[in-house]
Amino acid sequence: MSPLRVSTLPPDYTQVLVVGGGPAGAYAATALAREGINVTLLEASKFPRYHVGESLIPSIRRYLGFIGAEEKMVNHGFVSKPGSSIKFNQYKREGYTDFVALGHRNNAWNVVRSEFDQMLLNHARSCGVSVYEKTRVESVEFSTSDPNRPVSVSWTHIPPPRPLSPPASPIRSKFSNFLRRSPSPTSSSADLGTVEQVRGTTAFTNIIDATGRAGILSTRYLKNRHYNASLKNVAMWGYWKNVGKYGVGTNREGAPWFEALTDESGWAWFIPLHNGTTSVGIVMNEKMYHLRSNSPLPPSPFAESATPNSGNSALVTKYISSIGLAPGVVNLITQSGLMDEGSVKSANDFSYSSDSYAGEGYRIIGDAGAFIDPFFSSGVHLAMTSALSAAATICASLRNHCTESEAALWHTRRVSTSYTRFQVVVLSAYKQIRSQSEDVLADIDEDNYDRAFTLLRPVIQGASDMGARLSENELQKSLDFCVNLFSPTFPDDHERVIRSGKVNKELMDVAAPIVNPSTFESALKPELNPCPGPLNRKKRDSAEESDGDSDVERVVETKMVLDKINARRVVHSEYSINNLEVEYLEGFAVVLERGKLGLRKRDSSC
């Protein structure tokens, strides 16, 4: 038996075992621990550890508030994200989505993920979660009586060195009498204070798979991961210093910048961070990436001093050349920008999902179950949505709010519904970026679409009855509707429409129900002067002509503002954690109250 104290090793049994300490795992573990449930978390790495995915959306505040971590987030010093700027067309201005227009506490943040993730994991510890880092789950064992129910895991653990805190003693000294001799080859590892890898098993009642893209349950045991053909991309990114900022001197300062590439192959990001660096990335269609790799690359858009030694790496050369496809990013980097040597990385950004995220005794959350795309910064949001869903459904099962099979089904429906909402929005953005309509029907689950867009389908289909099956035409109309979310409007445009008093206030409310766009056309019939003939036009003075053109432009801009607000309603419910309380799936909604977390059946009392 190992001489280690028992407390340094994972237990033989725990009520809930969470595998993975990223945002999804840490959140689920914390939510359960605050309900008085015994939770153990195993994490393969030692935090802090690097991770990409620095841009968050406003829902983060509500989720952190529920587990008592909002103030820690506010006080950490991350860059405040007041909104998001997106430029699809090089010949038009960018669009800007203003988060704080809905309230000064509605901002999000740009985060250094190593710090953000460690903050969440430490918060889990402070809430009573037993956390074991450098503990890798090697296999999952299933019940002999129920082969579909996992019951234990086998793990390997690398304990911290012994002794835990004193520094190493010097081996050289100017005092010969006190010279510390090097250990002889026959010294034991225990004498040297080193610890070998330890193996063990932990049994559980419930397991939550939060292992990220590795997805141990989905990929190794359930084998139900499905890759979306329409979102096979390659991402390259790095970190820069001494760069500019978007929106300097305005209420947009600190907002990330997203931009479509000029060759329609993908998009770029520019995200300022509180440590003085800026994350700059490129996401490119996999086929076009390889085509570019096999052709002579355009020259770097930067001075050689900005990218020292970039020619020593094929990846860095591709990365630098690809940034040239985003003129707005190049301008933001400026001539004084300096790429952080060795920071360039790449990954296959393949989108995937599964047909199920839960079963008897297990839940799958975060990237372990599904991943869409870095566009729209939905990753951490979906991680926390699925984490809270896992915690609520486990509590519901333990507290007999429903059966375990009902709880597992609800979790799958919740993850699938939220995933599909963001998936359609992301696909609408790619349709705009690539200026083409791709066949994406194969990548959208019809049942998930029905649940995610219950209120949108009648708007898309007009007065006609809903078809028995989702069609490619209907899906393309959905994409066309959702792409308005990225329209090139500014907060000033929205303020002007409100001040005009000509538009019903309900149409300007992002929390209101989705309306048929034809409503806007009937509401926007300006009393414009008839268009004069060529002779009369010459007699008009320039002021009158300007006023007439201005009226037309205002109507166009107002329609654009209304369409954007209408499109935002598609995902607005996701931004509020309370949506889980009011959106019933399979007849259940979440009881979102500490000490009572679980599920509530429709029309039943809490």
Side-chain angles (χ1 to χ4, degrees):
M1 178 67 183
S2 168
L4 292 169
R5 297 192 310 275
V6 175
S7 62
T8 67
L9 295 176
D12 294 332
Y13 169 80
T14 185
Q15 195 170 9
V16 177
L17 180 69
V18 179
V19 185
Y27 192 97
T30 302
L32 286 166
R34 284 163 59 89
E35 295 298 306
I37 293 173
N38 177 251
V39 185
T40 299
L41 186 151
L42 308 183
E43 164 56 45
S45 301
K46 172 63 181 170
F47 279 36
R49 55 93 176 94
Y50 173 79
H51 203 286
V52 72
E54 296 101 347
S55 184
L56 307 181
I57 58 178
S59 60
I60 187 72
R61 270 188 179 271
R62 286 79 177 171
Y63 279 97
L64 292 179
F66 182 72
I67 61 169
E70 182 180 1
E71 287 306 309
K72 292 182 180 180
M73 184 74 178
V74 170
N75 297 328
H76 190 89
F78 292 125
V79 172
S80 178
K81 177 182 174 182
S84 181
S85 56
I86 301 173
K87 188 177 181 69
F88 278 148
N89 191 317
Q90 295 298 330
Y91 303 101
K92 296 181 180 179
R93 69 177 184 179
E94 72 275 13
Y96 183 78
T97 299
D98 190 356
F99 297 155
V100 297
L102 299 177
H104 70 281
R105 289 172 57 84
N106 199 54
N107 68 288
W109 290 272
N110 303 328
V111 301
V112 174
R113 280 291 301 275
S114 59
E115 296 180 27
F116 174 70
D117 293 6
Q118 185 173 35
M119 181 193 77
L120 289 179
L121 191 62
N122 286 341
H123 183 68
R125 284 188 175 98
S126 72
C127 292
V129 178
S130 299
V131 177
Y132 297 88
E133 296 178 274
K134 301 185 78 171
T135 306
R136 182 179 299 278
V137 170
E138 303 293 349
S139 63
V140 180
E141 289 72 46
F142 291 77
S143 169
T144 54
S145 59
D146 182 0
N148 294 318
R149 185 180 189 114
V151 292
S152 66
V153 298
S154 297
W155 45 258
T156 55
H157 174 72
I158 302 177
R162 292 180 291 118
L164 295 179
S165 55
S169 300
I171 60 173
R172 295 184 182 279
S173 170
K174 61 181 179 181
F175 305 108
S176 59
N177 291 340
F178 296 97
L179 179 64
R180 183 182 177 91
R181 298 182 182 276
S182 299
S184 65
T186 58
S187 298
S188 68
S189 62
D191 293 333
L192 295 176
T194 59
V195 179
E196 295 181 354
Q197 190 178 75
V198 180
R199 297 180 182 276
T201 60
T202 297
F204 47 79
T205 301
N206 291 89
I207 184 173
I208 297 177
D209 181 1
T211 54
R213 297 193 190 189
I216 186 171
L217 285 179
S218 287
T219 62
R220 195 183 301 182
Y221 298 100
L222 302 177
K223 300 185 185 301
N224 64 349
R225 179 169 289 181
H226 163 73
Y227 286 92
N228 300 322
S230 56
L231 287 175
K232 284 192 173 183
N233 298 317
V234 175
M236 301 174 284
W237 68 93
Y239 297 86
W240 294 70
K241 302 173 182 176
N242 306 325
V243 300
K245 283 184 180 180
Y246 170 74
V248 175
T250 72
N251 56 8
R252 302 189 298 276
E253 186 168 344
W257 169 273
F258 302 99
E259 178 179 6
L261 303 182
T262 55
D263 68 349
E264 300 182 358
S265 62
W267 57 279
W269 77 70
F270 181 95
I271 305 171
L273 304 173
H274 76 291
N275 63 3
T277 67
T278 295
S279 175
V280 178
I282 299 290
V283 177
M284 188 175 289
N285 174 268
E286 182 191 32
K287 290 181 180 179
M288 297 189 74
Y289 171 83
H290 291 305
L291 285 174
R292 279 178 57 83
S293 299
N294 296 326
S295 305
L297 294 174
S300 167
F302 306 107
E304 188 174 345
S305 58
T307 56
N309 303 319
S310 61
N312 297 337
S313 165
L315 171 62
V316 176
T317 301
K318 291 177 188 175
Y319 168 67
I320 295 298
S321 175
S322 298
I323 293 177
L325 297 172
V329 170
V330 173
N331 291 336
L332 284 168
I333 289 176
T334 71
Q335 293 304 311
S336 61
L338 178 67
M339 186 182 69
D340 190 359
E341 264 192 274
S343 71
V344 179
K345 298 174 174 61
S346 69
N348 287 331
D349 255 335
F350 289 177
S351 174
Y352 56 84
S353 58
S354 304
D355 57 5
S356 174
Y357 302 99
E360 296 286 323
Y362 71 88
R363 308 288 187 269
I364 302 173
I365 62 177
D367 288 355
F371 173 77
I372 302 177
D373 187 86
F375 195 87
F376 212 65
S377 308
S378 61
V380 173
H381 167 85
L382 291 173
M384 290 188 175
T385 298
S386 59
L388 184 53
S389 170
T393 55
I394 288 174
C395 286
S397 180
L398 294 175
R399 291 169 171 163
N400 296 317
H401 294 172
C402 59
T403 66
E404 169 64 1
S405 59
E406 287 175 324
L409 177 60
W410 195 92
H411 177 71
T412 288
R413 295 290 186 254
R414 177 70 269 165
V415 174
S416 299
T417 300
S418 293
Y419 177 91
T420 303
R421 283 194 180 119
F422 282 98
Q423 182 186 22
V424 171
V425 170
V426 168
L427 287 171
S428 74
Y430 274 98
K431 180 177 179 180
Q432 181 81 354
I433 289 170
R434 296 169 182 166
S435 298
Q436 57 188 1
S437 297
E438 292 192 8
D439 185 348
V440 296
L441 187 60
D443 291 339
I444 301 290
D445 181 275
E446 182 180 0
D447 291 336
N448 293 337
Y449 179 90
D450 284 344
R451 279 185 291 272
F453 294 98
T454 301
L455 301 178
L456 180 60
R457 286 198 77 177
V459 173
I460 295 301
Q461 295 188 348
S464 63
D465 293 333
M466 289 192 221
R469 296 191 59 79
L470 177 66
S471 68
E472 180 66 33
N473 181 57
E474 180 185 341
L475 187 53
Q476 292 298 337
K477 287 182 179 180
S478 299
L479 302 187
D480 291 339
F481 180 94
C482 291
V483 80
N484 288 312
L485 197 150
F486 310 107
S487 294
T489 68
F490 272 59
D492 293 346
D493 301 325
H494 292 242
E495 285 296 322
R496 179 187 59 75
V497 174
I498 293 172
R499 288 196 308 269
S500 72
K502 297 179 179 179
V503 174
N504 189 307
K505 288 184 179 180
E506 187 174 338
L507 295 179
M508 297 295 294
D509 183 4
V510 72
I514 296 172
V515 300
N516 193 311
S518 62
T519 303
F520 305 149
E521 295 174 9
S522 60
L524 296 173
K525 292 183 177 179
E527 295 181 1
L528 297 176
N529 294 326
C531 290
L535 295 177
N536 291 332
R537 184 180 298 275
K538 291 180 181 179
K539 294 179 181 179
R540 294 178 60 192
D541 60 37
S542 58
E544 287 177 335
E545 187 171 17
S546 175
D547 288 344
D549 290 342
S550 180
D551 285 338
V552 174
E553 289 170 0
R554 286 196 184 105
V555 170
V556 172
E557 289 176 1
T558 300
K559 175 72 161 52
M560 195 179 296
V561 167
L562 294 175
D563 282 337
K564 184 171 187 173
I565 292 171
N566 207 24
R568 285 182 66 182
R569 291 170 179 145
V570 170
V571 292
H572 180 72
S573 60
E574 291 287 337
Y575 282 32
S576 171
I577 190 174
N578 300 105
N579 178 56
L580 300 179
E581 296 180 290
V582 298
E583 186 172 21
Y584 283 84
L585 299 171
E586 301 296 328
F588 290 92
V590 172
V591 177
L592 203 60
E593 182 180 346
R594 186 178 179 185
K596 298 181 180 179
L597 184 64
L599 295 180
R600 176 182 63 248
K601 201 164 188 176
R602 189 189 296 272
D603 297 329
S604 68
S605 58
C606 294

